[in-house]
Amino acid sequence: MRVTDLTRGNTENSRRGEVLRSGAVGVTIGVGATVVVIGAAFIQAAGNNPALNAALSISVPAKYQGLIEEAGNTCPEVTPNLLASLVTQESGFNPKAKSPVGAEGIAQFMPSTWESSGVDGNGDGKRDVWDPEDAIPSSAKYLCGIAREVKDVPGNKQSNMLAAYNAGTDAVRKYGGVPPYRETQNYVKSISSLAGQPAKGGKPGTAITAQQGATAVKAAQEKLGAPYSWGGGNASGPSTGSCCSPRGRSGADISGFDCSGLTLYAYAKVGITLPRTAAAQYAASKPIKSGEMRIGDLVFYGSSASSIHHVGIYIGGGYMIDAPRPGTKVRFSPLDSMRDLFGVARPIHSTTKEI
């Protein structure tokens, strides 16, 4: 597989002035006469609470998963897991639900609230509370509005947002946080507990999801600037490495990552255990054709499967995030920064395959 096979389409897109965006850190990368922007909106898999911002890990009907994942990135306080948990609590994903007090639809809007906060999520010209394509994004928008209203209240921002959703913003402001109402406290506890469920391991042999890939990139991106350390990095983060690289460089006195240590760490954040070396990580992954690449896939370099010497994480636009070599730091690198691109592969669950 040639580098040009992987990057041609993305380079052409860049020449047309298209913009790529990724996680919370904004970085501008010059590409010849063009600029690729790795900015705020590309990977919104997470906010600041790792328990609530992992990959979508609770049961959601397949026909609503896309809606939940998209709407669940409307603002930092609203995540796919939290939104899915709220809809589960409100209606059990029943689009025809109606409560005794008059709340309607899958997100249980009162008519007056819908009138002021409902949006035309699917662009069909109607705001229909009974249509999940309108109600789910409306729920996310409404939650984000509430989050802004209580942003200055002490305590956990997501808990305060949920409490305000249940009891009103005035109550949250009055009590300086979640009010002492049993119903509201149970509501917040129930949704937060469900939203905080760890990602479940996939069926052995199945590839990671797009959401898991995006979350892994987010985790790696948070380590931009970490020093390269030969043999450094584990599931917990940067660590001192060992001696010695092929050119005699030691990582024993440097806390950081080598290439496979970074990918091991990033995927540990979504419950995927990768082997320690780049070659073994390729063996633990599913090969992907160039036209099927997506964010989070692993990019491998070497002359053969057994001689792979480098790995990075694909971020789109012909770029990866990687720990290149001794003397450098974790950074964004073009896919053609090395000439011996071997292939691309997607991590799979619970594999014991080895070279």
Side-chain angles (χ1 to χ4, degrees), residues 4-20 31 34-36 317-318:
T4 51
D5 293 332
L6 297 174
T7 61
R8 182 183 296 115
N10 290 316
T11 301
E12 290 172 353
N13 285 342
S14 296
R15 287 171 181 165
R16 289 196 295 269
E18 295 185 1
V19 175
L20 300 174
V31 187
T34 67
V35 173
V36 176

Side-chain angles (χ1 to χ4, degrees), residues 8-352:
R8 182 183 296 115
N10 290 316
T11 301
E12 290 172 353
N13 285 342
S14 296
R15 287 171 181 165
R16 289 196 295 269
E18 295 185 1
V19 175
L20 300 174
R21 298 186 180 277
S22 78
V25 178
V27 178
T28 302
I29 304 172
V31 187
T34 67
V35 173
V36 176
V37 178
I38 309 298
F42 167 60
I43 303 166
Q44 299 201 15
N48 295 321
N49 186 335
L52 297 181
N53 294 289
L56 184 61
S57 62
I58 66 175
S59 178
V60 173
K63 59 184 176 181
Y64 301 131
Q65 286 180 1
L67 285 170
I68 290 292
E69 290 183 352
E70 182 176 356
N73 288 308
T74 302
C75 66
E77 292 79 15
V78 176
T79 66
N81 259 9
L82 186 138
L83 184 59
S85 301
L86 183 139
V87 175
T88 299
Q89 178 84 1
E90 294 288 345
S91 71
F93 282 94
N94 177 8
K96 298 180 180 180
K98 187 168 184 176
S99 78
V101 297
E104 299 173 334
I106 198 167
Q108 290 290 276
F109 275 96
M110 294 296 291
S112 59
T113 305
W114 179 258
E115 184 62 29
S116 62
S117 302
V119 300
D120 177 14
N122 57 10
D124 65 357
K126 298 183 295 183
R127 296 186 305 134
D128 185 357
V129 73
W130 303 105
D131 185 346
E133 293 183 358
D134 291 346
I136 289 175
S138 294
S139 181
K141 177 196 170 193
Y142 183 54
L143 282 167
C144 290
I146 290 174
R148 289 191 294 272
E149 292 177 11
V150 298
K151 66 179 181 180
D152 297 327
V153 176
N156 183 278
K157 293 183 181 299
Q158 288 168 321
S159 295
N160 289 340
M161 176 185 69
L162 291 171
Y165 188 90
N166 179 260
T169 56
D170 288 345
V172 173
R173 289 187 174 280
K174 176 182 177 180
Y175 290 101
V178 179
Y181 308 150
R182 179 175 297 180
E183 176 190 336
T184 300
Q185 291 182 343
N186 288 339
Y187 183 85
V188 172
K189 182 178 180 180
S190 176
I191 292 178
S192 297
S193 177
L194 182 58
Q197 285 186 6
K200 299 177 181 178
K203 181 179 179 181
T206 60
I208 54 98
T209 66
Q211 185 75 9
Q212 287 174 309
T215 303
V217 173
K218 174 69 164 55
Q221 185 172 301
E222 290 173 349
K223 299 303 179 183
L224 283 169
Y228 183 97
S229 174
W230 175 264
N234 54 44
S236 299
S239 67
T240 53
S242 58
C243 188
C244 286
S245 75
R247 295 188 177 183
R249 300 287 292 272
S250 174
D253 59 350
I254 302 172
S255 180
F257 297 95
D258 64 10
C259 64
S260 55
L262 178 66
T263 53
L264 185 158
Y265 165 77
Y267 269 99
K269 293 300 180 183
V270 294
I272 302 294
T273 301
L274 291 176
R276 185 59 185 79
T277 66
Q281 289 180 2
Y282 180 77
S285 304
K286 174 185 177 182
I288 296 296
K289 296 178 181 179
S290 61
E292 298 174 354
M293 286 178 68
R294 70 186 187 203
I295 294 158
D297 287 345
L298 299 181
V299 188
F300 295 91
Y301 296 80
S303 59
S304 66
S306 60
S307 65
I308 288 172
H309 62 85
H310 187 68
V311 59
I313 308 175
Y314 182 59
I315 63 169
Y319 276 82
M320 62 182 169
I321 185 169
D322 68 334
R325 58 185 176 275
T328 64
K329 298 178 180 180
V330 175
R331 68 188 188 189
F332 297 117
S333 300
L335 295 184
D336 59 1
S337 59
M338 297 182 184
R339 296 183 178 181
D340 57 347
L341 176 61
F342 178 74
V344 179
R346 188 167 297 155
I348 59 178
H349 292 275
S350 302
T351 180
T352 58

